[in-house]
PDB file of all heavy atoms in Angstrom:
ATOM      1  N   GLY A1095      33.367  31.714  25.418  1.00 97.00           N
ATOM      2  CA  GLY A1095      34.355  31.550  26.480  1.00 97.00           C
ATOM      3  C   GLY A1095      34.809  32.880  27.062  1.00 97.00           C
ATOM      4  O   GLY A1095      34.568  33.906  26.476  1.00 97.00           O
ATOM      5  N   GLY A1096      35.519  32.795  28.198  1.00 98.00           N
ATOM      6  CA  GLY A1096      36.011  34.020  28.853  1.00 98.00           C
ATOM      7  C   GLY A1096      36.421  33.807  30.225  1.00 98.00           C
ATOM      8  O   GLY A1096      36.584  32.669  30.699  1.00 98.00           O
ATOM      9  N   LEU A1097      36.644  34.926  30.941  1.00 98.00           N
ATOM     10  CA  LEU A1097      37.033  34.917  32.320  1.00 98.00           C
ATOM     11  C   LEU A1097      35.928  35.264  33.223  1.00 98.00           C
ATOM     12  O   LEU A1097      35.235  36.252  33.049  1.00 98.00           O
ATOM     13  CB  LEU A1097      38.218  35.898  32.534  1.00 98.00           C
ATOM     14  CG  LEU A1097      38.716  36.115  33.938  1.00 98.00           C
ATOM     15  CD1 LEU A1097      39.280  34.867  34.541  1.00 98.00           C
ATOM     16  CD2 LEU A1097      39.697  37.282  33.987  1.00 98.00           C
ATOM     17  N   VAL A1098      35.708  34.343  34.244  1.00 98.00           N
ATOM     18  CA  VAL A1098      34.581  34.660  35.207  1.00 98.00           C
ATOM     19  C   VAL A1098      35.189  34.260  36.601  1.00 98.00           C
ATOM     20  O   VAL A1098      36.070  33.482  36.760  1.00 98.00           O
ATOM     21  CB  VAL A1098      33.322  33.817  34.933  1.00 98.00           C
ATOM     22  CG1 VAL A1098      32.750  34.286  33.599  1.00 98.00           C
ATOM     23  CG2 VAL A1098      33.672  32.339  34.947  1.00 98.00           C
ATOM     24  N   GLN A1099      34.433  34.848  37.607  1.00 98.00           N
ATOM     25  CA  GLN A1099      34.799  34.549  39.005  1.00 98.00           C
ATOM     26  C   GLN A1099      34.113  33.243  39.463  1.00 98.00           C
ATOM     27  O   GLN A1099      33.082  32.911  38.836  1.00 98.00           O
ATOM     28  CB  GLN A1099      34.399  35.684  39.948  1.00 98.00           C
ATOM     29  CG  GLN A1099      35.141  36.964  39.719  1.00 98.00           C
ATOM     30  CD  GLN A1099      34.802  37.975  40.729  1.00 98.00           C
ATOM     31  OE1 GLN A1099      33.712  38.088  41.268  1.00 98.00           O
ATOM     32  NE2 GLN A1099      35.785  38.889  41.062  1.00 98.00           N
ATOM     33  N   PRO A1100      34.684  32.575  40.430  1.00 98.00           N
ATOM     34  CA  PRO A1100      34.022  31.381  40.962  1.00 98.00           C
ATOM     35  C   PRO A1100      32.554  31.701  41.388  1.00 98.00           C
ATOM     36  O   PRO A1100      32.305  32.676  41.963  1.00 98.00           O
ATOM     37  CB  PRO A1100      34.844  31.049  42.190  1.00 98.00           C
ATOM     38  CG  PRO A1100      36.169  31.570  41.905  1.00 98.00           C
ATOM     39  CD  PRO A1100      35.928  32.807  41.074  1.00 98.00           C
ATOM     40  N   GLY A1101      31.642  30.730  40.996  1.00 98.00           N
ATOM     41  CA  GLY A1101      30.211  30.996  41.229  1.00 98.00           C
ATOM     42  C   GLY A1101      29.535  31.647  40.080  1.00 98.00           C
ATOM     43  O   GLY A1101      28.279  31.717  40.103  1.00 98.00           O
ATOM     44  N   GLY A1102      30.239  32.142  39.083  1.00 98.00           N
ATOM     45  CA  GLY A1102      29.676  32.815  37.982  1.00 98.00           C
ATOM     46  C   GLY A1102      29.205  31.842  36.923  1.00 98.00           C
ATOM     47  O   GLY A1102      29.158  30.618  37.097  1.00 98.00           O
ATOM     48  N   SER A1103      28.695  32.431  35.802  1.00 98.00           N
ATOM     49  CA  SER A1103      28.083  31.683  34.743  1.00 98.00           C
ATOM     50  C   SER A1103      28.651  32.055  33.409  1.00 98.00           C
ATOM     51  O   SER A1103      29.032  33.193  33.207  1.00 98.00           O
ATOM     52  CB  SER A1103      26.550  31.832  34.751  1.00 98.00           C
ATOM     53  OG  SER A1103      26.000  31.380  35.933  1.00 98.00           O
ATOM     54  N   LEU A1104      28.645  31.114  32.419  1.00 98.00           N
ATOM     55  CA  LEU A1104      28.997  31.333  31.048  1.00 98.00           C
ATOM     56  C   LEU A1104      28.065  30.468  30.242  1.00 98.00           C
ATOM     57  O   LEU A1104      27.651  29.381  30.648  1.00 98.00           O
ATOM     58  CB  LEU A1104      30.441  31.025  30.755  1.00 98.00           C
ATOM     59  CG  LEU A1104      31.506  32.015  31.082  1.00 98.00           C
ATOM     60  CD1 LEU A1104      32.968  31.383  30.856  1.00 98.00           C
ATOM     61  CD2 LEU A1104      31.362  33.313  30.470  1.00 98.00           C
ATOM     62  N   ARG A1105      27.834  30.888  28.998  1.00 98.00           N
ATOM     63  CA  ARG A1105      27.135  30.104  28.062  1.00 98.00           C
ATOM     64  C   ARG A1105      27.928  29.941  26.790  1.00 98.00           C
ATOM     65  O   ARG A1105      28.173  30.952  26.083  1.00 98.00           O
ATOM     66  CB  ARG A1105      25.758  30.773  27.691  1.00 98.00           C
ATOM     67  CG  ARG A1105      24.855  29.884  26.829  1.00 98.00           C
ATOM     68  CD  ARG A1105      23.643  30.720  26.317  1.00 98.00           C
ATOM     69  NE  ARG A1105      22.712  29.916  25.686  1.00 98.00           N
ATOM     70  CZ  ARG A1105      21.934  30.319  24.641  1.00 98.00           C
ATOM     71  NH1 ARG A1105      22.045  31.537  24.174  1.00 98.00           N
ATOM     72  NH2 ARG A1105      21.054  29.503  24.082  1.00 98.00           N
ATOM     73  N   LEU A1106      28.294  28.729  26.434  1.00 98.00           N
ATOM     74  CA  LEU A1106      29.044  28.421  25.290  1.00 98.00           C
ATOM     75  C   LEU A1106      28.129  28.096  24.116  1.00 98.00           C
ATOM     76  O   LEU A1106      27.037  27.412  24.314  1.00 98.00           O
ATOM     77  CB  LEU A1106      30.077  27.304  25.525  1.00 98.00           C
ATOM     78  CG  LEU A1106      31.000  27.437  26.693  1.00 98.00           C
ATOM     79  CD1 LEU A1106      31.885  26.221  26.735  1.00 98.00           C
ATOM     80  CD2 LEU A1106      31.807  28.709  26.562  1.00 98.00           C
ATOM     81  N   SER A1107      28.530  28.415  22.920  1.00 98.00           N
ATOM     82  CA  SER A1107      27.731  28.067  21.759  1.00 98.00           C
ATOM     83  C   SER A1107      28.665  27.433  20.719  1.00 98.00           C
ATOM     84  O   SER A1107      29.887  27.747  20.614  1.00 98.00           O
ATOM     85  CB  SER A1107      27.143  29.299  21.093  1.00 98.00           C
ATOM     86  OG  SER A1107      26.192  29.876  21.908  1.00 98.00           O
ATOM     87  N   CYS A1108      28.172  26.482  19.951  1.00 98.00           N
ATOM     88  CA  CYS A1108      28.899  25.897  18.876  1.00 98.00           C
ATOM     89  C   CYS A1108      27.970  25.719  17.636  1.00 98.00           C
ATOM     90  O   CYS A1108      26.958  24.985  17.750  1.00 98.00           O
ATOM     91  CB  CYS A1108      29.463  24.513  19.279  1.00 98.00           C
ATOM     92  SG  CYS A1108      30.181  23.549  17.940  1.00 98.00           S
ATOM     93  N   ALA A1109      28.319  26.347  16.570  1.00 97.00           N
ATOM     94  CA  ALA A1109      27.479  26.256  15.385  1.00 97.00           C
ATOM     95  C   ALA A1109      28.192  25.452  14.269  1.00 97.00           C
ATOM     96  O   ALA A1109      29.347  25.645  13.922  1.00 97.00           O
ATOM     97  CB  ALA A1109      27.273  27.722  14.805  1.00 97.00           C
ATOM     98  N   ALA A1110      27.498  24.454  13.742  1.00 97.00           N
ATOM     99  CA  ALA A1110      27.982  23.646  12.690  1.00 97.00           C
ATOM    100  C   ALA A1110      27.458  24.117  11.380  1.00 97.00           C
ATOM    101  O   ALA A1110      26.288  24.534  11.175  1.00 97.00           O
ATOM    102  CB  ALA A1110      27.598  22.183  12.904  1.00 97.00           C
ATOM    103  N   SER A1111      28.386  24.071  10.385  1.00 97.00           N
ATOM    104  CA  SER A1111      28.000  24.591   9.014  1.00 97.00           C
ATOM    105  C   SER A1111      28.714  23.732   7.952  1.00 97.00           C
ATOM    106  O   SER A1111      29.748  23.166   8.266  1.00 97.00           O
ATOM    107  CB  SER A1111      28.257  26.069   8.826  1.00 97.00           C
ATOM    108  OG  SER A1111      29.624  26.357   8.946  1.00 97.00           O
ATOM    109  N   GLY A1112      28.193  23.776   6.731  1.00 96.00           N
ATOM    110  CA  GLY A1112      28.859  23.108   5.672  1.00 96.00           C
ATOM    111  C   GLY A1112      27.964  22.085   5.041  1.00 96.00           C
ATOM    112  O   GLY A1112      26.715  22.115   5.083  1.00 96.00           O
ATOM    113  N   SER A1113      28.611  21.009   4.487  1.00 96.00           N
ATOM    114  CA  SER A1113      27.791  19.970   3.760  1.00 96.00           C
ATOM    115  C   SER A1113      27.267  18.921   4.727  1.00 96.00           C
ATOM    116  O   SER A1113      27.788  17.813   4.804  1.00 96.00           O
ATOM    117  CB  SER A1113      28.740  19.366   2.701  1.00 96.00           C
ATOM    118  OG  SER A1113      29.274  20.357   1.821  1.00 96.00           O
ATOM    119  N   ILE A1114      26.216  19.288   5.479  1.00 96.00           N
ATOM    120  CA  ILE A1114      25.620  18.406   6.480  1.00 96.00           C
ATOM    121  C   ILE A1114      24.301  17.936   6.053  1.00 96.00           C
ATOM    122  O   ILE A1114      23.422  18.774   5.613  1.00 96.00           O
ATOM    123  CB  ILE A1114      25.515  19.233   7.758  1.00 96.00           C
ATOM    124  CG1 ILE A1114      26.902  19.712   8.250  1.00 96.00           C
ATOM    125  CG2 ILE A1114      24.909  18.320   8.921  1.00 96.00           C
ATOM    126  CD1 ILE A1114      26.819  20.674   9.422  1.00 96.00           C
ATOM    127  N   PHE A1115      24.099  16.637   6.193  1.00 95.00           N
ATOM    128  CA  PHE A1115      22.736  16.076   5.980  1.00 95.00           C
ATOM    129  C   PHE A1115      21.987  16.102   7.242  1.00 95.00           C
ATOM    130  O   PHE A1115      20.832  16.588   7.361  1.00 95.00           O
ATOM    131  CB  PHE A1115      22.860  14.700   5.426  1.00 95.00           C
ATOM    132  CG  PHE A1115      21.510  14.033   5.180  1.00 95.00           C
ATOM    133  CD1 PHE A1115      20.680  14.345   4.154  1.00 95.00           C
ATOM    134  CD2 PHE A1115      21.046  13.039   6.066  1.00 95.00           C
ATOM    135  CE1 PHE A1115      19.468  13.851   3.922  1.00 95.00           C
ATOM    136  CE2 PHE A1115      19.823  12.481   5.882  1.00 95.00           C
ATOM    137  CZ  PHE A1115      19.011  12.795   4.843  1.00 95.00           C
ATOM    138  N   SER A1116      22.568  15.558   8.327  1.00 95.00           N
ATOM    139  CA  SER A1116      21.940  15.570   9.623  1.00 95.00           C
ATOM    140  C   SER A1116      23.019  15.371  10.685  1.00 95.00           C
ATOM    141  O   SER A1116      23.986  14.710  10.449  1.00 95.00           O
ATOM    142  CB  SER A1116      20.887  14.478   9.739  1.00 95.00           C
ATOM    143  OG  SER A1116      21.443  13.216   9.592  1.00 95.00           O
ATOM    144  N   ILE A1117      22.751  15.897  11.879  1.00 96.00           N
ATOM    145  CA  ILE A1117      23.672  15.763  12.987  1.00 96.00           C
ATOM    146  C   ILE A1117      23.049  14.827  14.014  1.00 96.00           C
ATOM    147  O   ILE A1117      21.934  15.151  14.573  1.00 96.00           O
ATOM    148  CB  ILE A1117      23.968  17.126  13.684  1.00 96.00           C
ATOM    149  CG1 ILE A1117      24.611  18.088  12.640  1.00 96.00           C
ATOM    150  CG2 ILE A1117      24.910  16.936  14.855  1.00 96.00           C
ATOM    151  CD1 ILE A1117      24.887  19.409  13.182  1.00 96.00           C
ATOM    152  N   TYR A1118      23.734  13.768  14.386  1.00 96.00           N
ATOM    153  CA  TYR A1118      23.201  12.789  15.303  1.00 96.00           C
ATOM    154  C   TYR A1118      23.555  13.143  16.742  1.00 96.00           C
ATOM    155  O   TYR A1118      22.689  13.334  17.603  1.00 96.00           O
ATOM    156  CB  TYR A1118      23.728  11.385  15.028  1.00 96.00           C
ATOM    157  CG  TYR A1118      23.215  10.360  15.899  1.00 96.00           C
ATOM    158  CD1 TYR A1118      21.829  10.083  16.082  1.00 96.00           C
ATOM    159  CD2 TYR A1118      24.124   9.591  16.667  1.00 96.00           C
ATOM    160  CE1 TYR A1118      21.412   9.138  16.937  1.00 96.00           C
ATOM    161  CE2 TYR A1118      23.654   8.608  17.491  1.00 96.00           C
ATOM    162  CZ  TYR A1118      22.300   8.367  17.623  1.00 96.00           C
ATOM    163  OH  TYR A1118      21.833   7.397  18.496  1.00 96.00           O
ATOM    164  N   THR A1119      24.798  13.267  17.015  1.00 97.00           N
ATOM    165  CA  THR A1119      25.256  13.615  18.405  1.00 97.00           C
ATOM    166  C   THR A1119      26.147  14.855  18.419  1.00 97.00           C
ATOM    167  O   THR A1119      26.999  14.969  17.561  1.00 97.00           O
ATOM    168  CB  THR A1119      25.999  12.426  19.031  1.00 97.00           C
ATOM    169  OG1 THR A1119      25.239  11.277  18.983  1.00 97.00           O
ATOM    170  CG2 THR A1119      26.447  12.739  20.494  1.00 97.00           C
ATOM    171  N   MET A1120      25.918  15.713  19.341  1.00 97.00           N
ATOM    172  CA  MET A1120      26.791  16.871  19.594  1.00 97.00           C
ATOM    173  C   MET A1120      27.252  16.784  21.065  1.00 97.00           C
ATOM    174  O   MET A1120      26.469  16.339  21.956  1.00 97.00           O
ATOM    175  CB  MET A1120      26.143  18.198  19.301  1.00 97.00           C
ATOM    176  CG  MET A1120      25.652  18.324  17.803  1.00 97.00           C
ATOM    177  SD  MET A1120      25.136  19.961  17.289  1.00 97.00           S
ATOM    178  CE  MET A1120      26.735  20.787  17.070  1.00 97.00           C
ATOM    179  N   GLY A1121      28.422  17.310  21.251  1.00 97.00           N
ATOM    180  CA  GLY A1121      28.871  17.270  22.699  1.00 97.00           C
ATOM    181  C   GLY A1121      30.005  18.311  22.968  1.00 97.00           C
ATOM    182  O   GLY A1121      30.495  18.954  22.025  1.00 97.00           O
ATOM    183  N   TRP A1122      30.297  18.419  24.245  1.00 98.00           N
ATOM    184  CA  TRP A1122      31.315  19.273  24.707  1.00 98.00           C
ATOM    185  C   TRP A1122      32.415  18.485  25.467  1.00 98.00           C
ATOM    186  O   TRP A1122      32.051  17.620  26.279  1.00 98.00           O
ATOM    187  CB  TRP A1122      30.839  20.410  25.561  1.00 98.00           C
ATOM    188  CG  TRP A1122      30.028  21.421  24.893  1.00 98.00           C
ATOM    189  CD1 TRP A1122      28.631  21.428  24.748  1.00 98.00           C
ATOM    190  CD2 TRP A1122      30.433  22.593  24.163  1.00 98.00           C
ATOM    191  NE1 TRP A1122      28.233  22.519  24.021  1.00 98.00           N
ATOM    192  CE2 TRP A1122      29.305  23.191  23.712  1.00 98.00           C
ATOM    193  CE3 TRP A1122      31.696  23.089  24.025  1.00 98.00           C
ATOM    194  CZ2 TRP A1122      29.404  24.443  22.978  1.00 98.00           C
ATOM    195  CZ3 TRP A1122      31.780  24.314  23.282  1.00 98.00           C
ATOM    196  CH2 TRP A1122      30.661  24.890  22.725  1.00 98.00           C
ATOM    197  N   TYR A1123      33.623  18.790  25.162  1.00 98.00           N
ATOM    198  CA  TYR A1123      34.756  18.156  25.874  1.00 98.00           C
ATOM    199  C   TYR A1123      35.656  19.280  26.294  1.00 98.00           C
ATOM    200  O   TYR A1123      35.585  20.473  25.887  1.00 98.00           O
ATOM    201  CB  TYR A1123      35.532  17.243  24.876  1.00 98.00           C
ATOM    202  CG  TYR A1123      34.827  16.048  24.419  1.00 98.00           C
ATOM    203  CD1 TYR A1123      33.750  16.171  23.525  1.00 98.00           C
ATOM    204  CD2 TYR A1123      35.181  14.746  24.915  1.00 98.00           C
ATOM    205  CE1 TYR A1123      33.069  14.991  23.128  1.00 98.00           C
ATOM    206  CE2 TYR A1123      34.502  13.635  24.475  1.00 98.00           C
ATOM    207  CZ  TYR A1123      33.450  13.783  23.597  1.00 98.00           C
ATOM    208  OH  TYR A1123      32.755  12.683  23.132  1.00 98.00           O
ATOM    209  N   ARG A1124      36.496  18.977  27.243  1.00 98.00           N
ATOM    210  CA  ARG A1124      37.409  20.018  27.793  1.00 98.00           C
ATOM    211  C   ARG A1124      38.807  19.429  28.104  1.00 98.00           C
ATOM    212  O   ARG A1124      38.939  18.275  28.398  1.00 98.00           O
ATOM    213  CB  ARG A1124      36.828  20.715  29.040  1.00 98.00           C
ATOM    214  CG  ARG A1124      36.748  19.843  30.227  1.00 98.00           C
ATOM    215  CD  ARG A1124      36.027  20.620  31.332  1.00 98.00           C
ATOM    216  NE  ARG A1124      35.872  19.783  32.543  1.00 98.00           N
ATOM    217  CZ  ARG A1124      35.284  20.184  33.705  1.00 98.00           C
ATOM    218  NH1 ARG A1124      34.572  21.320  33.650  1.00 98.00           N
ATOM    219  NH2 ARG A1124      35.249  19.368  34.739  1.00 98.00           N
ATOM    220  N   GLN A1125      39.800  20.321  28.002  1.00 98.00           N
ATOM    221  CA  GLN A1125      41.162  19.889  28.311  1.00 98.00           C
ATOM    222  C   GLN A1125      41.843  20.979  29.157  1.00 98.00           C
ATOM    223  O   GLN A1125      42.025  22.110  28.648  1.00 98.00           O
ATOM    224  CB  GLN A1125      41.958  19.651  27.041  1.00 98.00           C
ATOM    225  CG  GLN A1125      43.295  18.998  27.264  1.00 98.00           C
ATOM    226  CD  GLN A1125      43.963  18.525  25.983  1.00 98.00           C
ATOM    227  OE1 GLN A1125      43.586  18.872  24.872  1.00 98.00           O
ATOM    228  NE2 GLN A1125      44.860  17.534  26.150  1.00 98.00           N
ATOM    229  N   ALA A1126      42.218  20.623  30.359  1.00 97.00           N
ATOM    230  CA  ALA A1126      42.969  21.483  31.215  1.00 97.00           C
ATOM    231  C   ALA A1126      44.492  21.324  31.045  1.00 97.00           C
ATOM    232  O   ALA A1126      44.894  20.313  30.579  1.00 97.00           O
ATOM    233  CB  ALA A1126      42.567  21.248  32.703  1.00 97.00           C
ATOM    234  N   PRO A1127      45.266  22.338  31.374  1.00 91.00           N
ATOM    235  CA  PRO A1127      46.694  22.258  31.184  1.00 91.00           C
ATOM    236  C   PRO A1127      47.265  20.931  31.894  1.00 91.00           C
ATOM    237  O   PRO A1127      46.958  20.756  33.083  1.00 91.00           O
ATOM    238  CB  PRO A1127      47.228  23.484  31.838  1.00 91.00           C
ATOM    239  CG  PRO A1127      46.152  24.470  31.699  1.00 91.00           C
ATOM    240  CD  PRO A1127      44.887  23.682  31.917  1.00 91.00           C
ATOM    241  N   GLY A1128      48.016  20.182  31.183  1.00 94.00           N
ATOM    242  CA  GLY A1128      48.654  19.049  31.748  1.00 94.00           C
ATOM    243  C   GLY A1128      47.788  17.825  31.862  1.00 94.00           C
ATOM    244  O   GLY A1128      48.163  16.808  32.406  1.00 94.00           O
ATOM    245  N   LYS A1129      46.460  17.902  31.368  1.00 96.00           N
ATOM    246  CA  LYS A1129      45.565  16.736  31.521  1.00 96.00           C
ATOM    247  C   LYS A1129      45.066  16.393  30.196  1.00 96.00           C
ATOM    248  O   LYS A1129      45.161  17.128  29.219  1.00 96.00           O
ATOM    249  CB  LYS A1129      44.421  17.207  32.396  1.00 96.00           C
ATOM    250  CG  LYS A1129      44.751  17.527  33.852  1.00 96.00           C
ATOM    251  CD  LYS A1129      43.575  17.861  34.693  1.00 96.00           C
ATOM    252  CE  LYS A1129      43.989  18.170  36.139  1.00 96.00           C
ATOM    253  NZ  LYS A1129      42.756  18.473  36.984  1.00 96.00           N
TER     254      LYS A1129
END
């Protein structure tokens, strides 16, 4: 994450670790202030 100008790009990453057998579904959610 970070600060970018309109029209710019970012790449988010999420790494899972621990006692995992298999991951079925992964996803991204977001929450804006007041929403």
Side-chain angles (χ1 to χ4, degrees):
L1097 173 64
V1098 296
Q1099 293 185 332
S1103 298
L1104 282 175
R1105 188 191 188 212
L1106 306 183
S1107 299
C1108 172
S1111 62
S1113 302
I1114 300 169
F1115 178 76
S1116 63
I1117 303 177
Y1118 180 58
T1119 303
M1120 300 189 80
W1122 291 94
Y1123 295 72
R1124 67 186 182 186
Q1125 187 167 23
K1129 297 183 179 180

